[in-house]
Amino acid sequence: MKPIILVLGASGQIGTELTQKLRLIYGNSNIIASDIREGNEEMMASGPFEIIDATDKATILNIIKKYNVTQVYLLAAMLSATAEQYPQKAWNLNMNSLLAVLDLAKEKHIQQIYWPSSIAVFGPTTPKENTPQKTVMEPSTVYGISKVSGEFWCSYYHEKYGVDVRSLRYPGIISLKTKPGGGTTDYAVDIYFKALEEQKFECFLSENTRLPMMYMDDAVNATIQLMQAKPEDIKIRNSYNLAAMDFTPKEVAKAIKKYIPNFKISYKSDFRQEIADSWPSSIDDSKARNDWGWQHQFDLESMTKDIFKNLKK
Ligand code: AKB
């Protein structure tokens, strides 16, 4: 039987593309998009949409009942840079939304949950290169604290109440359709737009800051693949490490120059440098590869090629 899916935070960077892919796979009317603001034209025209505050459990329950929802993808969150400015708001949004959805599954209103974690669960004391699945998690950011706590809640609800909650630790996600907002890895999206529009870009991270990254197509595919995996193949219930590529601002600038030879990058670090410096530079995702067959498709070169093909259109 086809799942009926409620996407909370559907108008955001990942939600926009994930919702459309889910509609393609399971049928438009089976995917209920929701957010506190409307989504893009394509989303609003292609299927049901509801305005929902992701922390409002009663409204979420009403919508679950209205459409007979079986799965919730909870994508609403405040990202790392904004969360440093609004710690209390970030904690409230990131935690209360998760606890609301976990409770709804515990109360048997839904069967399955997807909730994204992030490389932000790691901190300055974590091994930086090829960061293992199971390692020190002492984040130094508000966002990281909320994500690491969320991971513990996920495994607690799974152990205590049998809740089928699944999660991935996303690296920085690069996409074209909807710009991210308030993240530390956002430079890797802005650089492509600015390269095409102005042939120059001022980067808020230093030239050799290496971070794990992923193209949106891979992130969407990983998410759906994880949710479609047999429950017995999901051996990790806090969150899976997930990786595709890692690069520095200097390296992405070099990749862009192949398409825009006079592209110029300059560097002016701000408070986001400290956040980036606390995160891993590369991730070991062998558990995801072994447990449920994760494979990425895009590296820096192939992603850049695809981006310019689409941006020029
Ligand atoms: C951010 O930069 O805050 C996010 C993330 C790595 O989770 N993109």
Side-chain angles (χ1 to χ4, degrees):
M1 223 175 66
K2 278 186 187 172
I4 301 175
I5 299 173
L6 171 63
V7 183
L8 293 164
S11 307
Q13 186 204 13
I14 299 173
T16 301
E17 299 202 34
L18 187 59
T19 300
Q20 291 315 118
K21 187 69 184 271
L22 289 169
R23 284 184 172 164
L24 209 65
I25 297 172
Y26 297 118
N28 289 354
S29 59
N30 290 324
I31 310 301
I32 298 90
S34 78
D35 206 302
I36 46 165
R37 60 195 157 96
E38 288 196 347
N40 65 16
E41 242 177 76
E42 189 188 12
M43 180 183 300
M44 301 309 288
S46 60
F49 184 93
E50 299 280 348
I51 294 285
I52 302 182
D53 167 356
T55 63
D56 180 356
K57 189 181 164 194
T59 306
I60 301 172
L61 180 57
N62 281 341
I63 301 300
I64 287 174
K65 287 184 173 161
K66 178 174 167 189
Y67 293 94
N68 295 317
V69 168
T70 58
Q71 298 184 359
V72 172
Y73 285 52
L74 169 57
L75 301 171
M78 194 183 285
L79 298 186
S80 57
T82 314
E84 288 306 297
Q85 269 135 19
Y86 306 101
Q88 189 68 56
K89 266 193 187 168
W91 178 257
N92 289 346
L93 171 60
N94 296 0
M95 278 302 94
N96 293 344
S97 58
L98 176 60
L99 287 170
V101 172
L102 286 170
D103 271 337
L104 289 165
K106 176 187 159 194
E107 292 156 12
K108 309 275 183 242
H109 296 294
I110 45 171
Q111 293 157 16
Q112 221 179 316
I113 299 171
Y114 176 75
W115 175 78
S117 185
S118 157
I119 54 162
V121 293
F122 303 118
T125 52
T126 305
K128 227 177 162 41
E129 273 162 44
N130 231 6
T131 301
Q133 173 70 39
K134 215 175 164 67
T135 183
V136 182
M137 293 199 293
E138 294 178 333
S140 56
T141 63
V142 171
Y143 175 64
I145 294 169
S146 75
K147 286 294 178 190
V148 92
S149 309
E151 286 195 10
F152 282 117
W153 280 122
C154 289
S155 43
Y156 182 87
Y157 271 70
H158 178 71
E159 288 302 317
K160 291 273 172 188
Y161 310 118
V163 169
D164 187 357
V165 53
R166 305 176 182 200
S167 177
L168 298 170
R169 289 176 183 150
Y170 288 138
I173 308 289
I174 296 145
S175 63
L176 300 172
K177 277 200 178 156
T178 307
K179 285 194 179 179
T184 302
T185 56
D186 295 6
Y187 90 84
V189 177
D190 294 338
I191 194 170
Y192 283 99
F193 282 100
K194 283 275 161 49
L196 205 71
E197 284 161 6
E198 299 172 23
Q199 289 83 55
K200 63 179 170 49
F201 178 67
E202 185 179 90
C203 187
F204 58 73
L205 298 181
S206 64
E207 60 181 344
N208 294 320
T209 307
R210 180 172 298 282
L211 287 170
M213 298 280 182
M214 180 174 284
Y215 197 33
M216 181 62 86
D217 295 43
D218 276 335
V220 165
N221 288 340
T223 306
I224 295 172
Q225 198 185 334
L226 176 78
M227 287 298 273
Q228 289 177 337
K230 291 192 248 113
E232 59 270 27
D233 290 340
I234 310 295
K235 303 204 170 76
I236 290 168
R237 289 294 181 161
N238 55 341
S239 192
Y240 274 96
N241 275 8
L242 188 74
M245 61 181 116
D246 53 82
F247 55 72
T248 64
K250 194 173 167 183
E251 286 167 357
V252 65
K254 192 171 160 210
I256 288 173
K257 272 188 190 189
K258 283 193 192 155
Y259 299 85
I260 303 182
N262 54 356
F263 174 65
K264 296 251 174 326
I265 183 163
S266 56
Y267 302 93
K268 195 172 175 210
S269 294
D270 65 15
F271 72 101
R272 290 169 280 194
Q273 184 68 50
E274 202 182 325
I275 301 177
D277 287 344
S278 78
W279 289 350
S281 51
S282 60
I283 296 284
D284 171 5
D285 65 349
S286 49
K287 295 280 182 212
R289 290 176 194 265
N290 293 335
D291 288 0
W292 44 274
W294 159 242
Q295 274 182 315
H296 70 278
Q297 279 179 5
F298 287 91
D299 59 13
L300 178 57
E301 296 305 319
S302 49
M303 174 181 78
T304 305
K305 190 172 171 197
D306 198 65
I307 286 179
F308 281 113
K309 198 176 79 198
N310 289 319
L311 275 182
K312 278 184 182 148
K313 268 189 219 160

